[in-house]
Structures are given as C-alpha cells and as structure tokens.
Amino acid sequence: MRKLLFLSVAIIGSLILLSCGSTDSTTNYQVSISASPSEGGTVSPSSGQYEERTSLDISATPSEEYRFVEWQGDYQGTNSSATITVDSDKNIQAIFAKKEYALTINTEGEGTVDESILQTTSTTDYESGTIVELTANPTEGWRFNNWEGDIEGNQNPEQIAIDEEKSVTAVFEEGGYVSHGYVGGITPTSEERFAERTYPTIRANWEGVGGDKLWTKWNLGATAAPENATDQDPEKRGWVFQFNRKQGYHYDGEFDESNRIPQTEWEDVWGEDSNWQLANDPCRQLFGSTWRLPTLQEWDAFYNAYKSGTFNPDIYKDDAFESPLKLHSPFPGRGFWGVNGQVGAYWSGTQFGDFEARYLRIPSSGDVASITKDRAQLVRCIKN
C-alpha cells in the first residue's frame, strides 16, 4: 500500500514538471516593416519580435506630395491599413509614389508647345516635383505673344514646377517672319548690304483665291516698309526681276542703267512660251518649296478686294497702299521697267502668250494687265 502511494505521488510530480516546461517554449517571430522610398511615408508598428499567432494591425501613412500604392513582400494588398497574423518571420514593405498632376497645355492662334522635363525625382512624367520647360513654337506667319494661366509673361522658353494640377495657354498672334541670306544668282551681289533679309508676313483676309494665304508684307529685297504710297527709297522698294528669271536687280537711285546692281547684260526672255517656272521662282528658291509668286487669279482677287467703288487710278493707288499688303508705287516715271507711265508693277507667275506676262499695276486704269517678259518688275511672295 505504501509502495502504491509513493508511485502516485511521483507520477503527479512529473506531470507538474511537464506542465511548467511547456510555458517556457513560447515561439516569437521577427516582423520587419519598412517604407519604400524611405521619404515616401511612415509605417506602424515598428519592426520587432512578436509572439506567434499575434494579430498585428499595420498601417502606412504617406508624406506630403506622396501617395500609398501597395504592400509588398510577405503581405500584399492595396489598403493602407490591414491586420496580419504572426505565424512566421515576415518582411513587409509599404510602397509609396509621388503624386501625379495633369499639366494642360492650350494654344490661342497657330502654334505648338514643346514640353521638356528638366528635373524629376523618378521616371514618371509630371510627378510632383517635376520641372517642365515649355517652348512656344509659332506656325509660320504667327509669333508667340505671351503665356496665360499658371504661367504669365512672355519669356520663351519658360519653366513650370508641377506641384498641383496646372493649366497653361500659349498665345500666338499673326505676323511672323521669313528670312534668307545671300544666294548667288538671286541676290544682286555678295556685298554685305545684301547678305541678309528678313520680311514680316501677313495672313490675307480678302475673298477669293489667295485670300486665305500667307504673303510677305514687303517687296522681295526690301529692308523696311514704305512710308507712303509713292515712297522712292531704294531700300524700301526692293529688287526687280525679269519674267521667269530668278536674278534680282537693285537700283541705288533712279531707275537708270547706271544705277543697276548687278550691271550684267540684260537677258532676252522674249518668245519663251512658259509660265514662271519653279526653278526660276526667287520666292521658292529663297524661302523653300511652299513659297512662290502669286498667280494672275490671286492678284485679280486682291485688286477687286481693294478698289473703292467706280475705279479711279489715284484712289486705287491709296487703296493698295492702305491694304494689308501695303503695296506702293516706288518709281517716279516711265522707264525700261514698265509701260505707259505706270509707277508700280508686280509680277504674277502667269504668262500672256510667248512675249507677254500678267502683272498688277499701280496706279492702274484696269486690274491685272500684261507687259513684255523682258521688263523688270517688283515681286511679292505667297505661301501655298
């Protein structure tokens, strides 16, 4: 009996010892929680040791100008707050990204705006903190005037910081420029005074053919606008040309052979059954393939748009000068350049038989007239 009592006590003692030993074997796991990038935001709780089967609330809070994207690693999800169960070591990352803002570009008039990223903190365009350079590019015949909206002023190019949604308008206005340098066989000579020319352009606004196109506002070869309808300044009247010949001639004063530059022998262009060829068109050769001389129909539409009532040559002379093209009569009297005492003559590219070609004369007793092809007359250019 005593032996049985002793055995029972021993068994109970062993059970008590086993029970105590199971309390000492609790399992802990390492849980690491981090933000990527580190400046993108904060996470909670802190990384550390957590007991097995612990329910752990995790959360991600983005910094200013960042947004929470997702959890990655040993927990994945898109909610910024979540509850996980600690059942193993875990490595979890909260992914943040810069906020993205729209940059709206508008234009008034004809032109485009180039956008160039100068500085950004990641590879995604227009994230918060991106510096964008805007360059306004007017269409030919237009010029950049100013910025409106979230940029003001007329500096071009201009920079803008993307830290919220922004809208910018580039304002263009009509009146661009075309230029050319010295071109042998067109420019009178290689003298420095003929080396460069820049001409303002203007969009036509009259009805009929040519009435919606771009024109040069000065005569080819001119360096300034005429002051009045009969301005005789050689630099304001420009160069003269024979029909279907690209060589330009400058006169330093009166329309006299002694004043002609260059003083090469006059070409014989009689009997050539042809309109003005593109290869000889000085407008095309100086400004590119989209430019040319006006046609007979285009000059005729201009004439009909800018005559006052019953035709009077003297009135039309003023009408032509006050028109958008500012056409004037720069020669004081008759000469080899014209006929019948007319003092303003502008070639079209249209012939009138083998020996004559069409031109606009100012002042005039009619609209578009014809004259022999060897005469030298002024040129305006039009863009297709």
Side-chain angles (χ1 to χ4, degrees), residues 150-298:
D150 288 309
I151 299 178
E152 295 182 349
N154 55 14
Q155 181 174 323
N156 188 33
E158 181 62 282
Q159 297 177 12
I160 185 170
I162 307 302
D163 52 12
E164 61 181 350
E165 289 191 2
K166 293 192 174 181
S167 178
V168 175
T169 299
V171 180
F172 301 95
E173 61 182 20
E174 288 189 278
Y177 299 89
V178 289
S179 302
H180 65 80
Y182 168 78
V183 178
I186 301 179
T187 307
T189 71
S190 58
E191 295 177 57
E192 181 64 26
R193 61 175 171 153
F194 300 131
E196 301 289 339
R197 289 289 188 273
T198 297
Y199 310 88
T201 60
I202 187 167
R203 183 74 58 178
N205 62 354
W206 55 86
E207 294 183 0
V209 291
D212 60 347
K213 295 188 181 299
L214 198 66
W215 296 65
T216 54
K217 198 172 181 179
W218 298 346
N219 298 339
L220 196 60
T223 59
E227 297 293 328
N228 52 61
T230 56
D231 193 334
Q232 299 175 24
D233 186 335
E235 297 302 324
K236 296 175 182 176
R237 71 182 174 215
W239 306 331
V240 293
F241 299 79
Q242 292 182 280
F243 188 82
N244 198 29
R245 292 294 185 270
K246 60 183 180 180
Q247 176 63 64
Y249 294 91
H250 174 82
Y251 282 82
D252 269 333
E254 298 291 331
F255 205 85
D256 184 88
E257 294 301 305
S258 63
N259 295 326
R260 191 176 76 202
I261 303 173
Q263 288 194 335
T264 55
E265 186 173 347
W266 210 250
E267 293 193 49
D268 180 5
V269 297
W270 285 56
E272 293 183 357
D273 185 12
S274 173
N275 289 327
W276 206 308
Q277 300 298 292
L278 292 178
N280 291 331
D281 189 325
C283 299
R284 180 186 178 92
Q285 300 306 316
L286 293 175
F287 302 137
S289 60
T290 59
W291 288 86
R292 57 174 172 78
L293 274 79
T295 64
L296 164 66
Q297 292 79 13
E298 287 163 341

Side-chain angles (χ1 to χ4, degrees), residues 314-331:
D314 292 327
I315 292 176
Y316 179 57
K317 179 175 64 178
D318 293 331
D319 291 341
F321 179 72
E322 292 170 4
S323 75
L325 296 186
K326 304 288 285 187
L327 298 183
H328 70 306
S329 306
F331 298 116

Side-chain angles (χ1 to χ4, degrees), residues 52-65:
E52 187 178 16
R53 292 186 296 276
T54 297
S55 290
L56 190 63
D57 293 329
I58 61 175
S59 64
T61 304
S63 301
E64 187 177 2
E65 298 308 322

Side-chain angles (χ1 to χ4, degrees), residues 26 97 127 142 159 175 185 207 262 279 282 304 322 332:
T26 299
E127 289 185 344
W142 293 72
Q159 297 177 12
E207 294 183 0
N304 285 294
E322 292 170 4

Side-chain angles (χ1 to χ4, degrees), residues 44-45 53-59 71 74-76 79-86 90 92:
S44 66
R53 292 186 296 276
T54 297
S55 290
L56 190 63
D57 293 329
I58 61 175
S59 64
W71 297 101
D74 292 316
Y75 173 76
Q76 297 181 0
N79 291 328
S80 61
S81 298
T83 301
I84 65 171
T85 299
V86 179
K90 294 184 182 295
I92 302 172

